[in-house]
Short mmCIF file of all heavy atoms in Angstrom, two decimals:
data_model
loop_
_atom_site.label_atom_id
_atom_site.label_comp_id
_atom_site.label_asym_id
_atom_site.label_seq_id
_atom_site.Cartn_x
_atom_site.Cartn_y
_atom_site.Cartn_z
N THR A 17 10.84 -7.87 2.25
CA THR A 17 10.40 -7.87 3.64
C THR A 17 11.03 -6.72 4.42
O THR A 17 10.37 -6.09 5.24
CB THR A 17 10.70 -9.22 4.34
OG1 THR A 17 12.09 -9.52 4.22
CG2 THR A 17 9.86 -10.34 3.74
N TYR A 20 8.99 -3.51 3.49
CA TYR A 20 7.67 -3.38 4.10
C TYR A 20 7.76 -3.21 5.62
O TYR A 20 6.93 -2.50 6.21
CB TYR A 20 6.76 -4.54 3.70
CG TYR A 20 6.28 -4.37 2.27
CD1 TYR A 20 6.83 -5.09 1.22
CD2 TYR A 20 5.29 -3.43 1.97
CE1 TYR A 20 6.41 -4.90 -0.09
CE2 TYR A 20 4.86 -3.24 0.67
CZ TYR A 20 5.43 -3.97 -0.36
OH TYR A 20 5.00 -3.77 -1.65
N ARG A 21 8.76 -3.80 6.26
CA ARG A 21 8.95 -3.53 7.70
C ARG A 21 9.35 -2.07 7.91
O ARG A 21 8.88 -1.42 8.84
CB ARG A 21 9.97 -4.49 8.30
CG ARG A 21 9.44 -5.91 8.46
CD ARG A 21 10.34 -6.78 9.33
NE ARG A 21 11.72 -6.78 8.90
CZ ARG A 21 12.28 -7.69 8.10
NH1 ARG A 21 11.53 -8.69 7.62
NH2 ARG A 21 13.55 -7.61 7.77
N LYS A 22 10.19 -1.54 7.03
CA LYS A 22 10.59 -0.13 7.11
C LYS A 22 9.38 0.78 6.93
O LYS A 22 9.28 1.85 7.53
CB LYS A 22 11.63 0.19 6.04
CG LYS A 22 12.19 1.59 6.11
CD LYS A 22 13.11 1.93 4.94
CE LYS A 22 14.39 1.16 4.98
NZ LYS A 22 15.34 1.60 3.93
N MET A 23 8.42 0.33 6.12
CA MET A 23 7.19 1.10 5.89
C MET A 23 6.28 1.10 7.13
O MET A 23 5.34 1.86 7.21
CB MET A 23 6.41 0.53 4.71
CG MET A 23 7.10 0.65 3.36
SD MET A 23 6.77 2.20 2.54
CE MET A 23 5.02 2.11 2.31
N GLY A 24 6.54 0.21 8.09
CA GLY A 24 5.77 0.20 9.33
C GLY A 24 4.85 -0.99 9.51
O GLY A 24 4.05 -1.04 10.45
N PHE A 25 4.95 -1.98 8.63
CA PHE A 25 4.09 -3.16 8.73
C PHE A 25 4.75 -4.22 9.61
O PHE A 25 5.97 -4.36 9.63
CB PHE A 25 3.80 -3.74 7.34
CG PHE A 25 3.08 -2.76 6.46
CD1 PHE A 25 3.76 -2.03 5.50
CD2 PHE A 25 1.72 -2.53 6.61
CE1 PHE A 25 3.12 -1.11 4.70
CE2 PHE A 25 1.06 -1.61 5.82
CZ PHE A 25 1.76 -0.91 4.86
N LEU A 26 3.94 -4.98 10.35
CA LEU A 26 4.42 -6.04 11.22
C LEU A 26 4.42 -7.36 10.45
O LEU A 26 3.37 -7.82 9.99
CB LEU A 26 3.53 -6.17 12.46
CG LEU A 26 3.88 -7.30 13.42
CD1 LEU A 26 5.25 -7.05 14.05
CD2 LEU A 26 2.80 -7.42 14.49
N GLN A 27 5.59 -7.97 10.31
CA GLN A 27 5.68 -9.25 9.60
C GLN A 27 5.25 -10.36 10.53
O GLN A 27 5.78 -10.51 11.63
CB GLN A 27 7.11 -9.48 9.10
CG GLN A 27 7.22 -10.69 8.21
CD GLN A 27 8.59 -10.81 7.57
OE1 GLN A 27 9.44 -9.94 7.68
NE2 GLN A 27 8.79 -11.92 6.87
N ILE A 28 4.29 -11.18 10.08
CA ILE A 28 3.74 -12.25 10.92
C ILE A 28 4.01 -13.65 10.37
O ILE A 28 3.79 -14.63 11.07
CB ILE A 28 2.23 -12.05 11.20
CG1 ILE A 28 1.43 -12.02 9.90
CG2 ILE A 28 2.01 -10.78 12.02
CD1 ILE A 28 -0.09 -12.00 10.09
N VAL A 29 4.47 -13.76 9.12
CA VAL A 29 4.90 -15.03 8.54
C VAL A 29 6.21 -14.76 7.81
O VAL A 29 6.33 -13.76 7.09
CB VAL A 29 3.85 -15.62 7.57
CG1 VAL A 29 4.38 -16.88 6.90
CG2 VAL A 29 2.54 -15.91 8.29
N ALA A 35 5.79 -14.36 2.73
CA ALA A 35 5.77 -13.53 3.93
C ALA A 35 4.40 -12.88 4.03
O ALA A 35 3.75 -12.61 3.02
CB ALA A 35 6.86 -12.46 3.87
N ARG A 36 3.98 -12.64 5.26
CA ARG A 36 2.69 -12.00 5.47
C ARG A 36 2.84 -10.89 6.50
O ARG A 36 3.63 -11.02 7.44
CB ARG A 36 1.65 -13.01 5.93
CG ARG A 36 0.24 -12.46 5.93
CD ARG A 36 -0.77 -13.57 6.11
NE ARG A 36 -2.11 -13.02 6.17
CZ ARG A 36 -3.17 -13.72 6.49
NH1 ARG A 36 -3.08 -15.01 6.75
NH2 ARG A 36 -4.35 -13.16 6.53
N PHE A 37 2.07 -9.82 6.31
CA PHE A 37 2.18 -8.63 7.15
C PHE A 37 0.81 -8.20 7.66
O PHE A 37 -0.18 -8.33 6.95
CB PHE A 37 2.76 -7.46 6.34
CG PHE A 37 4.17 -7.70 5.90
CD1 PHE A 37 4.43 -8.42 4.74
CD2 PHE A 37 5.23 -7.21 6.63
CE1 PHE A 37 5.73 -8.64 4.32
CE2 PHE A 37 6.53 -7.42 6.23
CZ PHE A 37 6.79 -8.15 5.07
N GLU A 38 0.80 -7.64 8.87
CA GLU A 38 -0.38 -6.97 9.40
C GLU A 38 -0.21 -5.48 9.18
O GLU A 38 0.89 -4.94 9.36
CB GLU A 38 -0.51 -7.21 10.91
CG GLU A 38 -1.00 -8.56 11.30
CD GLU A 38 -1.15 -8.69 12.82
OE1 GLU A 38 -0.68 -7.81 13.58
OE2 GLU A 38 -1.73 -9.70 13.24
N CYS A 39 -1.29 -4.81 8.85
CA CYS A 39 -1.28 -3.36 8.76
C CYS A 39 -1.33 -2.79 10.17
O CYS A 39 -1.94 -3.37 11.06
CB CYS A 39 -2.46 -2.87 7.93
SG CYS A 39 -2.36 -3.37 6.20
N PRO A 40 -0.68 -1.64 10.41
CA PRO A 40 -0.65 -1.05 11.74
C PRO A 40 -2.03 -0.69 12.28
O PRO A 40 -2.24 -0.71 13.49
CB PRO A 40 0.20 0.20 11.59
CG PRO A 40 0.89 0.09 10.28
CD PRO A 40 0.11 -0.87 9.45
N ALA A 44 -6.52 -5.51 8.34
CA ALA A 44 -6.07 -5.96 7.02
C ALA A 44 -4.67 -6.56 7.07
O ALA A 44 -3.84 -6.19 7.90
CB ALA A 44 -6.09 -4.78 6.04
N THR A 45 -4.44 -7.50 6.17
CA THR A 45 -3.12 -8.09 5.98
C THR A 45 -2.82 -8.11 4.49
O THR A 45 -3.71 -7.94 3.65
CB THR A 45 -3.04 -9.54 6.52
OG1 THR A 45 -3.90 -10.38 5.74
CG2 THR A 45 -3.42 -9.62 7.98
N PHE A 46 -1.56 -8.32 4.17
CA PHE A 46 -1.16 -8.58 2.79
C PHE A 46 0.04 -9.49 2.84
O PHE A 46 0.69 -9.65 3.88
CB PHE A 46 -0.87 -7.28 2.01
CG PHE A 46 0.36 -6.57 2.46
CD1 PHE A 46 1.57 -6.75 1.81
CD2 PHE A 46 0.31 -5.70 3.54
CE1 PHE A 46 2.71 -6.09 2.23
CE2 PHE A 46 1.45 -5.04 3.95
CZ PHE A 46 2.66 -5.23 3.30
#
Side-chain angles (χ1 to χ4, degrees):
T17 55
Y20 285 103
R21 287 192 308 266
K22 185 186 291 187
M23 295 273 298
F25 299 100
L26 177 65
Q27 187 172 353
I28 59 173
V29 175
R36 190 168 177 189
F37 295 84
E38 284 182 349
C39 294
T45 66
F46 70 96

